[in-house]
Amino acid sequence: MNQKILIVGGVAGGASAAARLRRLNEDAEIILFEKGEYISFANCGLPYHVSKVISQRQQLLVQTVESMKNRFNIDIRVKNEVLKINRQNKEVTVLNHLTGETYTENYNILLLSPGASPIHPNLPGIEHPNIFSLRNMTDMDNIISAVEQSTKGEAVIIGGGFIGIEMAENLHQLGFKISLVDLADQLMLNLDREMAAIIHNQVRQKGISLYLKNSVTEFKQKGDFITVVLQNGEKINANIVILAIGINPSTQLAKEAGLELGMKGTIKVDSCFRTSDPDIYAVGDAIETVDFLTGKPAWLPLAGPANRQGRLVADIIFGHKTTYTGVQGTSIAKIFDLNVASTGKNERSLQNEGTKYFASFTHTNSHAGYYPGSTPLTIKLLFAENGKILGAQVIGRNGVDKRIDVLATALRLGATVQDLSSLELAYAPPFSSAKDPVNIAGYVAGNILQGDLNIIHWNQLNSLDPASSVILDVREKAELEMGYIPGAVNIPLGQLRKRIAELPKNKEIIIYCQVGLRGYIASRILMQKGFSKVKNLSGGFKTWQSIATDLNYQIAYPNHKEKKTENLAEKQVAASQNLIKANRYQLDACGLQCPGPIIQVSKKMENLAEGDILEVLVTDPGFSSDIQAWCDRTGHVLLSSTQAGNKFSVQIQKQSRTVAQSNNNAIELPEDKTIVVFSGDLDKAIASFIIANGAVSMGRKVTMFFTFCGLNILRKPQKVKACKSLLDKMFGMMMPRGSKRLGLSKMNMLGIGPKMIRYVMNNKNIESLESLIGMAKLAGIRLVACQMSMDVMGITKEELIEGIEIGGVATYLAAAETSNVNLFI
């Protein structure tokens, strides 16, 4: 006997099941009921037709009623709504909305694919005709009609998930001013907080106003506008409001039929999609499924799983031995210039489940940097102690889909991070690098598990104790102009081996660079040189800066002052007076990842004359904000910044700091400190460095000028071969060689006094003189040795410790002129 199969719902799961059922059985009677006008339409494409990115409405119809009837011989009944299921008689009651007729239809097998419906909160004023949800073709048509009447108006989007952000982008493209409201503290809850920060910064750059940790209390009519009243009392005017706060499973039919329900009111099914009634199956957004990683109940309303479930349930109905193994949540979205993807778990879900995990960040290029069009790519990887992949998130402009698909496949097959490093992936310069970003992510995660790399994350920095830790920035000085983590000291990686003695071995060393690679190299150097407490900031300054910018952290700058708000327009007007006669130069920094472009710009500007203009072409999207910060700190003028596709073009006019300061009417009072160290006594030397370190910790520049006996503080403890006269050699023999041989000004007691004071300082956890000197060098305090005094005392440069500047009276006086404190010790 031929089976009669009824399908409720003709989109995604229902339509897929109908087509597969017919391919498996030509004789079965298949009837598909859809209460709407259309079947098998691309509801994920609806936002893109609003903006006409998808130009033709017909393109959204994957299958029309006529084409599907003719191809698959299926009885398709649109505008027919199933009202009731009579399980005893195995029949359904149907309302034909076209005729108003109610009728019944019996079945052997019933498949439910009712989908989900938008959440419509009960708020005052919500019935306003220009407040919309977007779930089907009719919703889309209504929004388009309102858009055409309010071109380039204002829109409020409520909800920061996929639909909310996609609608924000498409309405923005039409010229609307956009405000986006979300109750959570971030957009895209499938992402972790620091990855969401990248999205926040992107949408703000597009001029979209974000209202996070906020909700709507009511809607008011105000002339031609809707006034959206927020929980915090703010009011936003809008021509159009889009509700995108989520969906609920459409399960009223199943509930009234007495079928067992699961989490959030979903239809409970087994691994073969059978409901509590063995003759009724269910698929799609309305069902409770299982989490692939944990096996626990899950609800994940996504188009991909719904379509796969539709095909699979057809196989099961006709006897194929297969089961559904669950969902892992792989998704991707376009958000303006960025593509955002995730698969598996995020940190929030792992913490809620009590799962122990590790996390790592990597910033690489989408393909070989030397091939045009390369853009940055960020990967966050979550993995277990045994290396098993638990989740991944990828953000970038190009190549995101390729990487998330590789990671999703690896997760589905139970791969480990070590497996990622050994994957042989397609490589050619236009497509990838010899070490693909997925390989790199595997290498970094593997290093963490093997103990070759100890990491710390951005949200752990605030809990560091400055007394027991040092934050070490190993980037180049040019990079510091873009900002650095407050409290950090700078030793460029290339100088680390020579200056390693400046770092205290008894403290925790937190290292960071721009993206993590140089920090890793630095951590390996220190760990192999006997430093036992070394950690590398995962994702480097780039990850920290992204979240800091989003959270409005105060990013430090090299002069330790707050970044001043300048009138950029006035600077540009002043600079434009010389544009016609200015020499123009070009710099192609495409393919370089931060900090490459900034370093190239810094080097190029050194060779230009005052007033010359440098035109820079880059592909790093972060460069547009980095170059503004760099110009603010260096005094150069950013004339323009434009974007064409994935390339960014800026024009910078060279201007010295002196000129820049003369154009600023604000008068800055001197705040620096200078200390002349004349004495070579231990107690006075300690006092000098305590004062100096205290001043620099308050954000002041400090210069210490060592003269005569004070030079002995800076001498190396070991004897150094140097060409000297007899008199110079005699001076050297009579004077203490280095800080550890200094005596006290009082109670020296033949050297017992210095030993006693060092013993007491150690017991009371007071830094030693040598440690204070190292801290001063790390903090950037200028240590200047007087050349004249060195000549008199017979001390050569080779005898001084590393990092000492040689200068004269003019050096000291120049520093004193910008100081408001000048000590003589």
Side-chain angles (χ1 to χ4, degrees):
M1 185 182 73
N2 291 331
Q3 286 189 313
K4 184 176 181 180
I5 303 170
L6 305 186
I7 302 173
V8 180
V11 182
S16 295
R20 180 65 173 169
L21 285 166
R22 176 57 73 218
R23 290 196 296 271
L24 293 176
N25 191 315
E26 182 62 24
D27 298 321
E29 183 181 357
I30 303 170
I31 305 174
L32 188 152
F33 301 98
E34 169 56 48
K35 68 179 179 179
E37 184 179 355
Y38 304 97
I39 61 160
S40 193
F41 63 87
N43 53 5
C44 293
L46 300 179
Y48 300 99
H49 182 55
V50 172
S51 64
K52 297 300 184 285
V53 169
I54 298 174
S55 59
Q56 300 299 319
R57 187 175 184 277
Q58 196 69 18
Q59 293 174 283
L60 296 172
L61 300 176
V62 180
Q63 283 279 4
T64 65
V65 173
E66 288 305 313
S67 66
M68 193 163 182
K69 276 184 177 180
N70 294 334
R71 176 174 292 186
F72 295 106
N73 188 28
I74 295 171
D75 183 356
I76 300 175
R77 303 177 188 179
V78 295
K79 297 242 177 193
N80 276 243
E81 181 180 1
V82 176
L83 300 178
K84 184 180 178 181
I85 302 171
N86 186 327
R87 291 167 54 195
Q88 245 181 346
N89 297 334
K90 296 183 72 171
E91 65 180 21
V92 297
T93 301
V94 186
L95 170 62
N96 185 333
H97 287 283
L98 295 173
T99 65
E101 173 195 5
T102 300
Y103 62 97
T104 61
E105 198 75 61
N106 67 318
Y107 63 84
N108 299 117
I109 297 291
L110 177 63
L111 173 60
L112 302 179
S113 181
S117 57
I119 295 174
H120 203 74
N122 185 22
L123 294 174
I126 199 168
E127 300 306 324
H128 190 285
N130 274 16
I131 298 178
F132 305 98
S133 296
L134 180 60
R135 188 67 181 171
N136 53 44
M137 299 284 284
T138 302
D139 293 337
M140 179 191 70
D141 293 337
N142 292 335
I143 292 172
I144 291 174
S145 177
V147 164
E148 290 172 348
Q149 296 174 36
S150 308
T151 305
K152 297 185 179 179
E154 298 182 41
V156 173
I157 315 292
I158 303 170
F162 290 100
I163 294 295
I165 295 181
E166 288 169 356
M167 281 304 300
E169 176 182 355
N170 284 279
L171 289 176
H172 178 273
Q173 186 166 322
L174 292 173
F176 276 78
K177 179 182 177 183
I178 307 295
S179 298
L180 207 162
V181 182
D182 198 289
L183 183 60
D185 64 350
Q186 68 170 77
L187 305 176
M188 303 289 286
L189 289 176
N190 57 307
L191 301 177
D192 286 320
R193 186 64 185 83
E194 63 285 323
M195 299 295 275
I198 301 173
I199 308 305
H200 297 172
N201 296 333
Q202 165 79 178
V203 299
R204 288 190 182 109
Q205 285 178 10
K206 298 298 182 180
I208 291 177
S209 300
L210 283 184
Y211 297 85
L212 299 176
K213 299 176 71 174
N214 225 317
S215 62
V216 177
T217 58
E218 65 176 314
F219 302 97
K220 292 182 177 180
Q221 177 83 36
K222 186 178 180 182
D224 295 333
F225 286 96
I226 305 165
T227 298
V228 182
V229 183
L230 302 184
Q231 189 178 31
N232 65 357
E234 290 187 71
K235 298 177 180 179
I236 316 170
N237 288 330
N239 303 97
I240 294 174
V241 174
I242 305 293
L243 293 176
I245 57 179
I247 57 176
N248 284 323
S250 299
T251 56
Q252 188 63 29
L253 184 65
K255 182 179 180 182
E256 291 175 356
L259 297 178
E260 185 179 353
L261 301 182
M263 63 185 303
K264 298 184 179 181
T266 54
I267 303 171
K268 197 171 188 66
V269 297
D270 63 15
S271 60
C272 293
F273 302 108
R274 289 188 187 89
T275 67
S276 53
D277 185 321
D279 295 320
I280 301 177
Y281 295 77
V283 295
D285 292 353
I287 71 167
E288 175 190 272
T289 181
V290 296
D291 185 316
F292 170 75
L293 283 166
T294 66
K296 294 179 180 178
W299 181 48
L300 191 68
L302 290 174
N307 278 279
R308 287 191 295 277
Q309 291 164 13
R311 175 189 171 90
L312 195 59
V313 74
D315 288 348
I316 291 168
I317 287 172
F318 282 126
H320 290 201
K321 293 183 178 180
T322 184
T323 57
Y324 189 59
T325 54
V327 293
Q328 65 190 69
T330 304
S331 63
I332 189 168
K334 177 184 177 296
I335 302 176
F336 291 98
D337 301 325
L338 295 178
N339 299 315
V340 183
S342 67
T343 189
K345 298 292 186 178
N346 58 22
E347 287 200 64
R348 190 185 310 105
S349 60
L350 289 171
Q351 290 166 3
N352 290 339
E353 293 163 5
T355 302
K356 186 173 181 180
Y357 66 93
F358 295 90
S360 67
F361 296 88
T362 51
H363 301 282
T364 53
N365 279 339
S366 58
H367 62 251
Y370 55 82
Y371 188 88
S374 176
T375 56
L377 192 75
T378 298
I379 296 179
K380 179 174 184 179
L381 202 57
L382 300 168
F383 49 98
E385 288 180 291
N386 62 0
K388 186 177 179 181
I389 301 165
L390 302 175
Q393 297 158 42
V394 186
I395 297 180
R397 290 170 178 259
N398 299 313
V400 171
D401 52 346
K402 171 181 176 178
R403 274 67 190 213
I404 201 65
D405 285 344
V406 170
L407 292 165
T409 303
L411 188 152
R412 176 64 65 161
L413 297 178
T416 65
V417 294
Q418 292 87 348
D419 294 324
L420 296 183
S421 61
S422 62
L423 288 177
E424 185 175 330
L425 302 174
Y427 161 62
F431 306 105
S432 183
S433 299
K435 294 177 182 176
D436 189 87
V438 171
N439 297 138
I440 298 295
Y443 294 145
V444 172
N447 285 337
I448 293 171
L449 292 178
Q450 293 165 10
D452 294 335
L453 174 63
N454 297 318
I455 61 169
I456 188 171
H457 291 290
W458 64 270
N459 54 353
Q460 297 173 300
L461 294 183
N462 287 340
S463 61
L464 292 176
D465 181 3
S468 59
S469 60
V470 173
I471 301 178
L472 175 62
D473 186 330
V474 295
R475 299 176 300 160
E476 298 301 314
K477 288 190 175 180
E479 298 174 71
L480 302 186
E481 299 289 357
M482 296 182 293
Y484 58 80
I485 297 175
V489 295
N490 176 242
I491 301 179
L493 178 61
Q495 301 177 22
L496 183 59
R497 290 182 177 87
K498 293 181 179 179
R499 297 175 59 182
I500 202 167
E502 298 176 22
L503 294 170
K505 284 191 174 181
N506 63 335
K507 289 189 177 184
E508 185 178 40
I509 310 296
I510 307 299
I511 306 173
Y512 75 90
C513 62
Q514 187 65 22
V515 298
L517 176 58
R518 284 172 291 172
Y520 166 61
I521 296 171
S523 71
R524 294 302 303 157
I525 293 171
L526 294 184
M527 290 169 72
Q528 294 177 78
K529 292 292 185 180
F531 288 79
S532 59
K533 295 179 285 187
V534 180
K535 291 181 179 178
N536 186 30
L537 178 62
S538 186
F541 183 74
K542 186 171 184 177
T543 294
W544 182 89
Q545 186 183 42
S546 180
I547 188 73
T549 302
D550 183 33
L551 298 176
N552 292 319
Y553 283 2
Q554 177 60 52
I555 298 179
Y557 287 84
N559 63 0
H560 296 275
K561 297 174 184 176
E562 290 188 2
K563 184 179 176 182
K564 292 180 171 59
T565 302
E566 298 183 20
N567 190 329
L568 181 60
E570 289 183 5
K571 290 181 69 177
Q572 289 176 340
V573 170
S576 66
Q577 296 174 359
N578 298 317
L579 291 184
I580 298 176
K581 60 182 180 181
N583 296 317
R584 292 177 178 269
Y585 300 87
Q586 292 184 334
L587 173 64
D588 188 344
C590 291
L592 294 179
Q593 187 176 344
C594 183
I598 286 290
I599 292 177
Q600 292 294 320
V601 169
S602 179
K603 290 179 179 178
K604 187 76 172 179
M605 292 295 279
E606 290 177 0
N607 300 320
L608 301 188
E610 191 79 25
D612 286 349
I613 295 173
L614 181 63
E615 297 176 357
V616 188
L617 190 65
V618 298
T619 49
D620 179 6
F623 181 77
S624 55
S625 57
D626 289 346
I627 196 63
Q628 180 64 71
W630 185 82
C631 288
D632 288 343
R633 307 316 309 162
T634 57
H636 304 305
V637 180
L638 180 61
L639 298 175
S640 66
S641 178
T642 58
Q643 179 182 352
N646 284 336
K647 291 187 178 181
F648 300 81
S649 177
V650 301
Q651 293 189 38
I652 311 162
Q653 186 169 42
K654 181 165 183 175
Q655 188 178 101
S656 67
R657 289 183 184 272
T658 305
V659 174
Q661 291 165 358
S662 68
N663 290 336
N664 190 345
N665 295 327
I667 300 175
E668 294 187 18
L669 296 175
E671 295 180 335
D672 298 347
K673 318 297 177 190
T674 50
I675 303 174
V676 179
V677 185
F678 178 84
S679 172
D681 295 326
L682 175 63
D683 46 341
K684 294 177 182 177
I686 292 171
S688 301
F689 278 95
I690 288 175
I691 294 170
N693 282 308
V696 79
S697 69
M698 295 174 64
R700 309 302 184 225
K701 286 185 177 179
V702 179
T703 299
M704 300 181 73
F705 189 73
F706 295 82
T707 182
F708 288 98
C709 291
L711 291 169
N712 293 316
I713 303 169
L714 305 180
R715 293 181 71 189
K716 292 177 180 176
Q718 69 273 20
K719 189 174 181 180
V720 177
K721 288 185 178 182
C723 184
K724 291 186 177 184
S725 66
L726 178 62
L727 190 59
D728 289 343
K729 289 180 180 178
M730 291 177 64
F731 265 117
M733 293 173 62
M734 292 186 291
M735 293 186 301
R737 187 185 295 121
S739 59
K740 290 189 176 180
R741 298 188 183 184
L742 300 181
L744 291 178
S745 58
K746 304 290 184 182
M747 300 185 298
N748 192 52
M749 298 182 293
L750 300 175
I752 298 176
K755 292 180 180 179
M756 290 176 62
I757 196 169
R758 285 180 181 273
Y759 176 79
V760 172
M761 290 172 67
N762 182 62
N763 284 346
K764 295 188 176 182
N765 293 319
I766 299 173
E767 300 286 351
S768 67
L769 174 57
E770 292 71 36
S771 179
L772 289 169
I773 294 172
M775 290 169 60
K777 292 164 72 176
L778 287 171
I781 294 175
R782 290 180 71 193
L783 305 180
V784 183
C786 176
Q787 180 67 70
M788 180 273 294
S789 300
M790 290 173 63
D791 292 340
V792 171
M793 307 291 286
I795 298 175
T796 65
K797 182 178 180 180
E798 291 76 18
E799 292 179 277
L800 301 180
I801 59 178
E802 298 293 332
I804 304 303
E805 181 181 342
I806 309 299
V809 174
T811 302
Y812 157 67
L813 291 176
E817 285 179 355
T818 59
S819 301
N820 60 4
V821 171
N822 189 28
L823 298 179
F824 189 89
I825 300 176

